[in-house]
Amino acid sequence: MNKLQLKHKFFVLYFFCVIVPLVITDSIVLRAVYNQEINSIKYDMEYVSGVYKNYFENMIDSDVRLTNSVSMNNKINDLLDTKFESDYDYYSAYYDVINDSFLETTSGLDRDSIVIYADNKSILDSVFIKKLSGAYTKQWYSDYIMGSQKEAIIAYYDDTVNSSIGSKRNFFFVKRINSRRKGCAKIVVIGHDSSSLEADLKAFKTKYPVHVIYNDYVVFSTEGQSIINVSSLNLDNENNVVQEVRCADSTLKIVVVNDQPMIATVVRDNWQIIVILLLVTIITNILWRIVMSSIGERIIELRKRRG
């Protein structure tokens, strides 16, 4: 150390007493800011996914309560199990039961339709009750019977539907009900209106893209109705937040996407702190150089006076 020139000694002092402490301090501060921002982003995304999850869980709970009410309604079950001799007998009994039931008041409230399908050839198709044979060609029925559970959520995109007449997007809650006594097979189908569903979900304002997925079908996306299949999305980001809503064997997946690099997000949201750290580093270096230059000049001057 004694053999080093004065400027080299100053450089060693400058490096270990200024540069190293500044780098360590800045690293600790930046790391703390980064971790705090990451946790904040994660919390926001989990909150958004929680809002969507609660929406669908409440919807399904409401559907379960409604179908249970149908299952326990003796008048509706008696109507569906009766073998009618004529159309007049059926319609007479039908209107008496429907006018005295809750079906007319609940249908249309956030629901496109409530239909009970019964395996009874003597009944006639109407608004709330239809023959089970009429469901055999429908996709929701095919998907439902493929499962082993009593109830299910079923969603799909039907490209064969004319959009001017009906919605191509379909979201159903389907449940098989049992009579208190032996009777015909019955299935309750609650169809949720796609436009109401979209309007409700759009009301949840979020800066993150959100996708609600059923199997390979995108039930809803904040990116627009043009997104139909999962294959059109990039969901490989490990920072995405995923929550599931389960109904028996059926699963709705809610994916909140962080489509921006974490570091870029941290820099964007905390640029003031980064600028301050840079200014502190630059100003400290300048002051150190000024002080060292002044000390060096004084030492050189003293040496001249002694020499």
Side-chain angles (χ1 to χ4, degrees):
M1 195 72 176
N2 293 330
K3 295 180 180 180
L4 292 176
Q5 295 181 7
L6 183 61
K7 63 177 182 180
H8 293 152
K9 291 181 180 180
F10 280 153
F11 177 79
V12 172
L13 189 64
Y14 168 73
F15 181 81
F16 286 102
C17 295
V18 178
I19 296 298
V20 173
L22 279 176
V23 169
I24 294 174
T25 304
D26 290 355
S27 298
I28 293 173
V29 172
L30 289 173
R31 186 65 183 177
V33 170
Y34 180 81
N35 289 336
Q36 183 179 0
E37 188 67 20
I38 293 301
N39 292 334
S40 177
I41 292 172
K42 202 76 171 177
Y43 176 82
D44 289 344
M45 294 174 67
E46 288 175 350
Y47 174 79
V48 171
S49 65
V51 170
Y52 278 76
K53 182 179 181 179
N54 289 338
Y55 175 84
F56 282 100
E57 285 181 338
N58 291 336
M59 175 193 291
I60 293 171
D61 287 344
S62 176
D63 292 346
V64 170
R65 288 195 298 270
L66 180 57
T67 53
N68 287 341
S69 297
V70 173
S71 179
M72 293 184 293
N73 190 298
N74 288 330
K75 289 186 177 180
I76 293 177
N77 281 285
D78 289 341
L79 173 69
L80 298 174
D81 291 332
T82 301
K83 304 299 181 182
F84 294 96
E85 297 295 331
S86 67
D87 296 349
Y88 174 80
D89 291 340
Y90 169 72
Y91 274 120
S92 178
Y94 170 81
Y95 283 114
D96 285 343
V97 171
I98 295 302
N99 290 335
D100 193 38
S101 73
F102 52 82
L103 293 176
E104 285 188 325
T105 56
T106 55
S107 183
L109 298 176
D110 299 326
R111 300 180 179 92
D112 182 48
S113 62
I114 304 172
V115 181
I116 308 169
Y117 289 86
D119 191 14
N120 183 345
K121 295 181 180 180
S122 68
I123 66 174
L124 300 173
D125 288 347
S126 54
V127 176
F128 299 107
I129 296 176
K130 297 182 185 294
K131 293 179 182 178
L132 183 59
S133 58
Y136 295 161
T137 58
K138 297 182 181 296
Q139 184 174 335
W140 64 259
Y141 182 78
S142 300
D143 293 346
Y144 176 68
I145 61 174
M146 287 177 64
S148 59
Q149 298 297 322
K150 187 177 179 180
E151 61 187 33
I153 47 177
I154 296 171
Y156 58 89
Y157 186 86
D158 190 352
D159 200 31
T160 62
V161 175
N162 187 334
S163 56
S164 62
I165 299 175
S167 176
K168 296 178 181 290
R169 294 182 175 272
N170 297 273
F171 189 94
F172 297 101
F173 177 83
V174 184
K175 183 173 182 177
R176 184 174 63 255
I177 62 173
N178 298 322
S179 304
R180 292 180 178 178
R181 54 186 171 78
K182 291 184 178 180
C184 65
K186 309 177 189 73
I187 296 177
V188 182
V189 181
I190 300 177
H192 290 273
D193 180 60
S194 61
S195 58
S196 297
L197 186 67
E198 183 180 4
D200 289 344
L201 295 177
K202 280 186 175 179
F204 305 143
K205 302 299 183 182
T206 171
K207 61 183 178 181
Y208 305 103
V210 181
H211 310 290
V212 181
I213 300 168
Y214 175 82
N215 294 337
D216 295 327
Y217 167 58
V218 179
V219 176
F220 170 81
S221 174
T222 55
E223 303 299 284
Q225 286 192 333
S226 60
I227 300 176
I228 300 171
N229 299 313
V230 176
S231 58
S232 62
L233 299 172
N234 181 12
L235 303 178
D236 296 332
N237 192 333
E238 63 180 8
N239 296 314
N240 293 346
V241 171
V242 180
Q243 292 208 51
E244 292 183 348
V245 178
R246 299 190 64 84
C247 176
D249 286 340
S250 310
T251 303
L252 273 180
K253 188 179 294 185
I254 299 165
V255 182
V256 182
V257 179
N258 187 350
D259 57 351
Q260 295 183 357
M262 286 293 191
I263 294 178
T265 303
V266 172
V267 171
R268 181 198 65 197
D269 294 342
N270 299 277
W271 63 269
Q272 300 96 329
I273 295 176
I274 296 172
V275 169
I276 291 173
L277 289 176
L278 287 174
L279 288 175
V280 169
T281 302
I282 293 171
I283 292 171
T284 302
N285 286 332
I286 292 173
L287 291 176
W288 176 264
R289 287 177 178 275
I290 292 173
V291 171
M292 288 299 99
S293 176
S294 176
I295 293 173
E297 289 176 358
R298 288 179 177 273
I299 292 174
I300 292 172
E301 185 177 344
L302 288 173
R303 284 180 177 177
K304 288 180 178 180
R305 289 180 179 179
R306 287 181 180 181

